[in-house]
Amino acid sequence: MQVPEVAEETGESARAGGRSPRRRGRTTALIAGAAVLGVVAGGCTGYLIQADREPTKLSSLSQSTLVQARGPAPEPLSAAEDRRVKTDGDLRKLLLKKPGGAKAAVWAGIDGWMTLADMAESYEKPAGAFSDLVAGEFRRAADTGWRVGSTYGVEIRLVQYRQEEELQASDRADSENYYEDAESGTKSWPVAGSDNAMVYVHTKPDTKPGYLPQYSATAVAWRGDIVMKIFVWDAKPIPKAKIMDLAERQVKKL
């Protein structure tokens, strides 16, 4: 039987040196134990030193005394200056008045108010519009309009939102805006006196067999919690100046 060479060399080394190989486990344990005792002793020393010191005083949490303003309190805003007084009152009073000689419209809701159902019916898909208006925190809507002659008509609508969770008015106005389009003949211009109001003139009419062509123009704006929309239609092209005049005067009343 052949014995491994490593075993032979280990045996020779033991005989030559006269002692067995050195064991390292005990020395390592002693060093580790000393290190642990050193850490514990250092922590105890630090605790004793800190315990003998005076406690550090914390800074005061109270604020310095505030100087009270002198003189009378400012006067509250008048009804003309406070928009909330206007917009929380009778919304119909913010609508433009029917011009002299024009006939009052028969579509302007009940006594100038539009219910949630009335608003939904003005869209192509009333059921979906109803749900959308409820989710959008619809509050109320005021509407007015008039006719001149047999073909010219105007409708102005103010829609107010509660805005308890989101700024619905600005979002709704953005969704009502049009894009300039050569195919449909839509042109747009900003309205003076507002940073968001726009007017749109649609130069190509809607046509149906048996009916006169119908040209239209629109204005869209929002302020605070109210969206303004103006519709104008006629059997002949609508001048930009006409829709712009209506939009500028209505924006000023908001």
Side-chain angles (χ1 to χ4, degrees), residues 100-128:
K103 297 179 181 180
V106 296
W107 61 80
I110 300 175
D111 196 23
W113 292 108
M114 291 187 73
T115 65
L116 180 58
D118 292 333
M119 280 288 298
E121 287 294 333
S122 67
Y123 290 86
E124 294 182 358
K125 298 180 179 180

Side-chain angles (χ1 to χ4, degrees), residues 27-189:
T27 302
T28 303
L30 290 174
I31 294 174
V36 171
L37 290 175
V39 172
V40 173
C44 293
T45 303
Y47 174 80
L48 293 174
I49 293 174
Q50 188 67 27
D52 289 338
R53 292 178 177 175
E54 290 293 331
T56 303
K57 187 176 180 180
L58 297 176
S59 58
S60 176
L61 297 179
S62 61
Q63 296 180 349
S64 58
T65 304
L66 299 177
V67 179
Q68 186 174 1
R70 298 181 180 275
E75 292 291 332
L77 294 175
S78 64
E81 296 171 320
D82 191 349
R83 283 197 65 254
R84 296 295 297 182
V85 174
K86 294 195 300 182
T87 59
D88 283 345
D90 191 341
L91 202 61
R92 296 171 298 177
K93 293 182 178 180
L94 300 182
L95 291 164
L96 292 179
K97 301 299 182 183
K98 176 178 67 68
K103 297 179 181 180
V106 296
W107 61 80
I110 300 175
D111 196 23
W113 292 108
M114 291 187 73
T115 65
L116 180 58
D118 292 333
M119 280 288 298
E121 287 294 333
S122 67
Y123 290 86
E124 294 182 358
K125 298 180 179 180
F130 188 93
S131 299
D132 189 47
L133 288 166
V134 172
E137 301 179 277
F138 170 86
R139 179 181 175 186
R140 57 181 180 166
D143 189 80
T144 190
W146 56 84
R147 298 184 69 95
V148 178
S150 60
T151 61
Y152 177 79
V154 174
E155 182 179 7
I156 304 175
R157 186 181 300 167
L158 301 180
V159 185
Q160 191 170 33
Y161 296 89
R162 298 187 186 281
Q163 300 202 138
E164 295 176 354
E165 296 183 5
E166 297 180 7
L167 298 178
Q168 288 289 342
S170 61
D171 292 342
R172 296 282 169 167
D174 289 342
S175 68
E176 296 281 356
N177 282 319
Y178 299 85
Y179 293 99
E180 288 199 2
D181 184 4
E183 183 176 351
S184 64
T186 300
K187 297 181 179 180
S188 64
W189 298 270

Side-chain angles (χ1 to χ4, degrees), residues 6-29:
V6 174
E8 292 178 353
E9 291 176 359
T10 303
E12 291 295 330
S13 300
R15 287 193 297 269
R19 55 183 179 181
S20 61
R22 184 178 180 182
R23 297 180 181 178
R24 300 183 180 181
R26 185 176 180 183
T27 302
T28 303

